[in-house]
Amino acid sequence: MTTPLIRSATKRQFLISLGLDPDHGSTQETYWMLKDEATRAYESQLQGRGDLLRPEYANQEPPFAAAHFTAEAFSSVVRSIYQTACPSARRYYDRGRVVQGDNWVISWMLYHVCRYRDGRNIRAARARDFHADDDLDDNHGREIASILIERIEQPRLTSVTGGSNLATTAAAARPGKFYDAARNGYR
């Protein structure tokens, strides 16, 4: 077992937590193997399944973010992935066992598969390039700084836009952007 990692951790953090070198070719093969298993489970068990959504997202249109699914539905898919895993993948999944809760390795991967489907990582989803989303990970600190600046400037933006809601204000200030809950900001 390894120390659990939060779902929104970067790919680099994920791989290092598993004891893998993010820049080594065999690591990329391992990553794609784990991602392919999570993708198959997502497509067969979650994709387009409005009946598995939390009540507050009942009217949400697909594609769904991981947070839209009930905890029970997400956990069920995590267990299913573990039960049907190939021996090579199970070796890594065994590192993600926890005393209570979901296997963090599978949860992280399934969460990120959902992110590729809900439109947040379009460039990386289309490219089968292992490093296609690395710049997103590396820019995380800059994103946080940008969010803090937005919050500091909120009173000025609110008076300009006439609104009082930070989400409305930020959306007005950043047209064409969407809210990324994992990074608590707009992209």
Side-chain angles (χ1 to χ4, degrees):
M1 285 199 279
T2 57
T3 303
L5 196 63
I6 59 173
R7 291 179 185 171
S8 60
T10 66
K11 177 173 52 176
R12 180 168 287 284
Q13 292 168 325
F14 171 74
L15 295 171
I16 291 170
S17 290
L18 289 176
L20 299 169
D21 176 0
D23 299 316
H24 193 273
S26 66
T27 296
Q28 295 177 24
E29 292 171 17
T30 300
Y31 177 84
W32 291 121
M33 172 188 61
L34 299 176
K35 184 176 177 187
D36 286 344
E37 287 200 352
T39 298
R40 283 194 308 274
Y42 173 86
E43 289 172 351
S44 67
Q45 299 175 48
L46 292 175
Q47 187 172 6
R49 294 283 310 272
D51 59 314
L52 300 178
L53 298 178
R54 294 175 18 199
E56 60 268 30
Y57 298 110
N59 296 323
Q60 180 75 27
E61 293 292 321
F64 306 121
H68 294 165
F69 295 105
T70 65
E72 296 80 25
F74 198 87
S75 293
S76 175
V77 176
V78 169
R79 286 190 303 274
S80 170
I81 291 170
Y82 184 83
Q83 292 166 353
T84 61
C86 70
S88 298
R90 176 129 344 153
R91 179 174 143 214
Y92 293 98
Y93 296 155
D94 284 342
R95 297 177 189 182
R97 291 187 323 230
V98 292
V99 176
Q100 280 189 328
D102 292 334
N103 181 301
W104 74 263
V105 173
I106 300 171
S107 291
W108 185 95
M109 188 58 72
L110 185 58
Y111 172 86
H112 284 267
V113 165
C114 289
R115 290 192 72 208
Y116 282 87
R117 299 304 185 277
D118 72 8
R120 286 183 269 179
N121 287 343
I122 292 172
R123 181 173 55 102
R126 289 185 184 148
R128 185 107 171 132
D129 176 6
F130 185 70
H131 295 290
D133 60 352
D134 286 354
D135 63 332
L136 296 176
D137 296 342
D138 294 340
N139 286 328
H140 183 61
R142 280 175 262 171
E143 251 330 280
I144 291 172
S146 172
I147 292 165
L148 293 174
I149 289 168
E150 283 180 13
R151 288 183 180 166
I152 291 168
E153 293 179 349
Q154 176 189 4
R156 185 181 63 80
L157 290 172
T158 300
S159 64
V160 170
T161 61
S164 60
N165 180 318
L166 177 59
T168 303
T169 303
R174 299 178 103 184
K177 299 286 185 172
F178 64 90
Y179 183 74
D180 182 347
R183 289 191 168 81
N184 193 25
Y186 289 84
R187 293 194 164 280

